[in-house]
Amino acid sequence: MIFTKTELAEVVLIEPKVFGDQRGYFFESFNQKEFEEHIELKNFVQDNESKSTFGALRGLHFQKPPFAQAKLVRCIQGKILDVVVDVRKNSLTYGKYITVELSGENKKQLFIPRGFAHGFVTLSDEAVFAYKVDNWYAPEYDSGIIWNDPTLNIDWKIDKEKVIISSKDQQLSKFKDLETPFIY
């Protein structure tokens, strides 16, 4: 696997070595030893999967302590634009974000530590998205930032009229009003 730091240094892009032939392909999607060597020791406790249609936008989410979560995300089928925002007060990259295209074809993964908001939008007809987390889901600790925040001004690579968003995500706060529990 190739581990590459992004512009948000703690967020790491992971590219597997894919072995293909006439039968199909094989690759390691996770290797604890390599992960610890290149990133850090993590005890992932839950795997999640979602299926989304074109334009479905999920995010920008994070959980507050003591249920903050680090995530290892990937797109198994289809194509998504993944977005990560630094919400750690006093960080040099506070309020900065990155976007990465993840797809069933490129098989890239993204490690997102605690202290970052995360979201994605489906760019293909449908997409299957999977992720590991290092803490349990606790809905009472849910938080996030509205997807179309004017301060962040994220280019989601899709017409705003085509975005499909849950009523819950429509209620998320603006970045300027965010009371982040994360201090760098």
Side-chain angles (χ1 to χ4, degrees), residues 89-106:
K89 219 26 157 206
N90 302 326
S91 164
L92 292 175
T93 54
Y94 178 72
K96 304 283 189 225
Y97 71 89
I98 61 162
T99 62
V100 177
E101 193 174 283
L102 303 177
S103 69
E105 188 175 315
N106 71 25

Side-chain angles (χ1 to χ4, degrees), residues 37-80:
E37 285 175 12
H38 292 93
I39 299 177
E40 62 187 40
L41 175 62
K42 279 286 164 214
N43 180 33
F44 292 111
V45 298
Q46 185 175 319
D47 280 5
N48 302 312
E49 182 174 305
S50 66
K51 182 177 180 181
S52 302
T53 60
F54 175 79
L57 193 149
R58 299 176 187 261
L60 297 158
H61 304 140
F62 64 88
Q63 282 192 173
K64 299 176 197 172
F67 289 95
Q69 295 176 322
K71 299 177 181 177
L72 179 60
V73 304
R74 68 187 180 119
C75 183
I76 296 172
Q77 175 187 330
K79 179 169 56 172
I80 61 107

Side-chain angles (χ1 to χ4, degrees), residues 1 9-10 23 60 81 83-84 90 106 108 118-119 126 129 140 142 146 150 155 158-159 164 168 173 176 184:
M1 293 183 190
E10 295 87 351
R23 300 169 296 163
L60 297 158
L81 181 72
V83 178
V84 181
N90 302 326
N106 71 25
K108 294 177 182 178
H118 172 258
E126 65 180 28
F129 185 79
E140 63 275 17
D142 272 349
I146 190 86
D155 179 1
I158 188 172
D159 291 334
I164 304 166
K168 176 184 161 193
S173 68
K176 70 179 179 81
Y184 183 74

Side-chain angles (χ1 to χ4, degrees), residues 106-164:
N106 71 25
K107 301 184 183 6
K108 294 177 182 178
Q109 298 181 68
L110 203 57
F111 172 70
I112 305 157
R114 295 175 182 196
F116 292 81
H118 172 258
F120 69 91
V121 66
T122 306
L123 300 176
S124 53
D125 289 341
E126 65 180 28
V128 176
F129 185 79
Y131 57 104
K132 298 177 172 305
V133 292
D134 73 340
N135 207 348
W136 309 109
Y137 176 62
E140 63 275 17
Y141 291 89
D142 272 349
S143 192
I145 306 162
I146 190 86
W147 70 279
N148 58 355
D149 180 81
T151 303
L152 298 176
N153 195 29
I154 296 169
D155 179 1
W156 290 91
K157 308 289 186 205
I158 188 172
D159 291 334
K160 292 181 181 185
E161 301 79 36
K162 295 184 179 179
V163 168
I164 304 166

Side-chain angles (χ1 to χ4, degrees), residues 163-175:
V163 168
I164 304 166
I165 191 157
S166 72
S167 57
K168 176 184 161 193
D169 285 357
Q170 290 173 4
Q171 306 304 312
L172 294 173
S173 68
K174 291 184 178 177
F175 182 76

